[in-house]
Amino acid sequence: MEEKLVKINFCVEEKVFENAETSFAVLNGTYKNISLVAVGALSSVDQGESLTLIGYYTKNEIYGNQFKVLKFKRELPSTKGAIIKFLASGKIKGLQTKTAEKIVDYFGTNSLDVLENNPEKLRQIKGIGDKLINNIEKDIKNLLALKRLNIFLQQFNVTPKTCFKIWEKWGLFAIEKIKKNPYSLFSFNFNLSFKKVDSIAKTLNVKQNEEKRIQAATQLILNHNALLNGHSCVPKKNLAIVVSTFLKQEKNTVLKEIDKLIENNVLFSKKTTTKEFVFLPVYYLAEKYISQKIVALNQFKEEIDEEDFKNLILIEEERLKIKFTKLQKKAIKTAIESGVFVLTGGPGTGKTTILNAVVSILEQTGFNISICAPTGKAAKRLQEVTKKKATTIHRLLGVVKTADDEREFIHCEKKPLKADAIVIDEMSMVDCMLFESLLKALKNGCRLILAGDFNQLPCIAAGNILKNILDSKILPVVCLKEIFRQSRKSLIVMNAHNIINEEPLILNEKGKDFFFIEKNTPTEISKTVLNLLGNKLKNVAKNKEDIQVICPCKKGIVGTIELNKKIQGVVNKKSGEKEEFNFGFFTFREGDKLLQIKNNYDIQWEKGGVKGEGIFNGEIGTILKINKKGQTFIVDFDGKIATLEFSMAKDLEPAFAITVHKSQGSEFLVVVIPIFFKDSEFFSRNLLYTAITRAKKLLILVGPKQNLLSMCKQKKVNFRYSLLKEFLVEENKEIKKEKKDVF
């Protein structure tokens, strides 16, 4: 039955409940002097406000009659009673109800105007001292300005949460700034679409073809390409075509505006022999800095005595119970002699063995070494291999809150790390902004050892650091290709190399670790995956955390979204003994496997009696306990026990099934990969290679054989626009020229 929509005038008496994340709130108030409960997206509303509500009457089984709000319009309080409640809402320090009544009795409905513009008049009222007047003077302007901003932006359906973000950035001048240039809303992460801002500009009579619109669209498209496509820059001509098509503007007009942005240093550009590229400043400066620091660090070289090296190698061979090959010895020697060294190779080629030896030798020669990786899982694996403490790059750099509530790394140029050498594994996952931050934290002369597999997918964010460095050919590099005898027993390792070398896959050999189950429809694939998890794999892994489903994409019957719901019903069924809560489109249950999808530096955790803070993107955990009354739940993130509020579920996803990108840097005992697609350039051999190399003991592929063969043949690597290679080559030439001039 369709509810009848009505419009009512509502005066807010009390805020009973609010959830700042979802904007849901429960308000007690009056309509025509009759008590009424209003529910809806009203979290920014305060007591004393007068609202026009559009919605319908409903009855809640527990809480009785309510008014469900679909839309509302707000006004500053205008009646005496509303003004008293507004002033006594607790937003102004020290202003209680009795004092608010005194003020309104004295100044009547002009009270807000007096408090905002002539607060000194409050001295006319007996009992109001300088301290309270100062508090009022300090708080009232901000309070009223925020309310006016909400009222102003509400006509454009901008959420209260977004209004508050805008207020935090621009304060008293927010409305003036928006009116002057609505497109300035793109300068910060306010999460407003171009269509939304365009409609605001149109309503405010800002001409649709003016310069600011073109300039805003240009920056928006560059930002989109950086965050979603990984391009740190874009060819100028391509950019102009995209912007002109997007705005339906002449290409030459757009080019003129791009040139203006470059001239005013709003954007940066660089010409190569064939094209001109355009950058957002942060990415230009990051790539420029990376090239300068890498080349500078590479100048610090220290040759080791051949006899000393032989002795050190003998010690390591005895410790590790192995015999190093000629190439491995070369890699170890180059690593300990060079300012910057790059080690690359696929699975089973001995990268971690070499890193183990390098770390050991450097420590023996007096180096203070830090070992890190982009993700917690990768750092943990590195620690297990080297037997040395390893951490994420974020934890190594440390994070602190700034005065304006932003985040910055503790270790930087002003406060460098103490390490004499840094080892970074899984370099293919490191984006240019994070790498720039790490390099800024290195002291002069610090050794840098980079390890990774360039055949894996590049990082999610902008940049392709490892490939750019390798392509520049200015650094000492050792590429490992030989698969060691013990690794040849694994078809996971052998098939990974077969994919890259364009050789046929070896499938379903008895007693091996690589299997393919041919199923030709999404429904059949889904059923097979569920059957594997519910029955056949129970004896392979001790617990469900050791089994991971990895999907090429999120959507579809065999995407992570649908599979997570179905897998939960198989491996963590609904039970009267298990608490659960709903958030978004998923029901979170005790025992569920979760993935953190956004860095949260504030989460407090404890591990083995040691306390810390921060849970980062990519960390996987399990829900231990849900407290519905307290609206909290306890999660075990690989031994780090953290208590989260229900609202923090916005940064979590179920992790029974995860995407290939989210699996990077991790290793799982058993991996199941469902594949199904009709025609997509994204289902490449690099995607397949990355997915299967996550498996340690057993790998099972499920899908049409044609899909599997197509992925193996798809040579296209995720292309990234970047000029880091060119910057590195230029910087290296410049250093050589300077040396030549000096000597």
Side-chain angles (χ1 to χ4, degrees), residues 236-247:
K236 184 178 174 182
K237 287 184 179 179
N238 295 29
L239 178 62
I241 291 168
V242 173
V243 175
S244 61
T245 303
F246 180 61
L247 298 180

Side-chain angles (χ1 to χ4, degrees), residues 28-73:
N28 283 341
T30 57
Y31 163 55
K32 292 184 177 179
N33 295 323
I34 299 172
S35 295
L36 182 65
V37 176
V39 298
L42 299 158
S43 66
S44 66
V45 173
D46 291 312
Q47 68 180 49
E49 285 198 62
S50 299
L51 308 175
T52 300
L53 307 180
I54 297 175
Y56 56 87
Y57 290 98
T58 182
K59 187 170 184 177
N60 184 287
E61 292 182 5
I62 299 174
Y63 301 108
N65 293 327
Q66 296 179 336
F67 189 82
K68 176 68 176 176
V69 180
L70 301 179
K71 193 174 180 181
F72 73 95
K73 182 179 178 182

Side-chain angles (χ1 to χ4, degrees), residues 207-224:
K207 293 180 182 178
Q208 291 291 289
N209 63 348
E210 76 167 321
E211 301 172 0
K212 291 166 185 173
R213 183 171 184 258
I214 298 172
Q215 292 177 1
T218 301
Q219 293 175 78
L220 179 75
I221 287 166
L222 280 172
N223 195 51
H224 172 89

Side-chain angles (χ1 to χ4, degrees), residues 164-265:
F164 189 72
K165 280 187 178 181
I166 296 168
W167 162 256
E168 283 184 311
K169 280 291 177 188
W170 294 334
L172 297 170
F173 305 102
I175 294 175
E176 181 186 340
K177 194 171 180 70
I178 294 167
K179 284 182 176 179
K180 187 177 180 181
N181 179 16
Y183 298 104
S184 61
L185 288 164
F186 286 121
S187 301
F188 300 94
N189 186 26
F190 295 140
N191 295 322
L192 292 172
S193 68
F194 192 86
K195 186 178 180 181
K196 171 75 74 179
V197 176
D198 230 10
S199 69
I200 293 173
K202 191 173 182 180
T203 304
L204 297 174
N205 295 318
V206 176
K207 293 180 182 178
Q208 291 291 289
N209 63 348
E210 76 167 321
E211 301 172 0
K212 291 166 185 173
R213 183 171 184 258
I214 298 172
Q215 292 177 1
T218 301
Q219 293 175 78
L220 179 75
I221 287 166
L222 280 172
N223 195 51
H224 172 89
N225 272 284
L227 297 179
L228 297 181
N229 299 325
H231 302 308
S232 58
C233 58
V234 175
K236 184 178 174 182
K237 287 184 179 179
N238 295 29
L239 178 62
I241 291 168
V242 173
V243 175
S244 61
T245 303
F246 180 61
L247 298 180
K248 297 179 181 177
Q249 287 280 352
E250 288 292 327
K251 181 184 168 185
N252 288 337
T253 304
V254 171
L255 278 168
K256 285 179 184 177
E257 295 308 322
I258 293 174
D259 286 336
K260 283 182 186 176
L261 290 169
I262 293 168
E263 187 181 335
N264 294 322
N265 291 326

Side-chain angles (χ1 to χ4, degrees), residues 423-527:
V423 176
I424 311 173
D425 198 11
E426 297 287 355
M427 266 303 296
S428 62
M429 296 179 64
V430 180
D431 64 84
C432 69
M433 299 305 297
L434 181 58
F435 195 48
E436 179 198 27
S437 296
L438 178 62
L439 292 178
K440 283 183 175 179
L442 304 190
K443 64 184 182 182
N444 290 336
C446 181
R447 303 289 180 85
L448 186 61
I449 297 156
L450 310 175
D453 183 353
F454 65 88
N455 285 309
Q456 289 191 29
L457 293 171
C459 58
I460 295 174
N464 203 353
I465 303 294
L466 182 59
K467 188 174 187 304
N468 294 154
I469 288 174
L470 292 171
D471 289 345
S472 74
K473 297 180 181 178
I474 69 162
L475 298 177
V477 175
V478 170
C479 182
L480 305 172
K481 293 182 179 178
E482 181 185 352
I483 305 171
F484 285 92
R485 188 173 60 188
Q486 64 268 30
S487 295
R488 287 179 192 158
K489 297 176 184 177
S490 167
L491 284 187
I492 295 171
V493 172
M494 296 303 293
N495 279 329
H497 287 270
N498 288 347
I499 289 168
I500 296 304
N501 297 327
E502 300 181 55
E503 296 175 0
L505 295 179
I506 306 164
L507 303 174
N508 300 336
E509 281 197 3
K510 190 175 180 181
K512 294 293 184 177
D513 56 4
F514 192 108
F515 296 93
F516 172 68
I517 302 173
E518 186 169 7
K519 296 294 176 183
N520 292 305
T521 69
T523 302
E524 287 177 332
I525 296 167
S526 177
K527 285 181 179 178

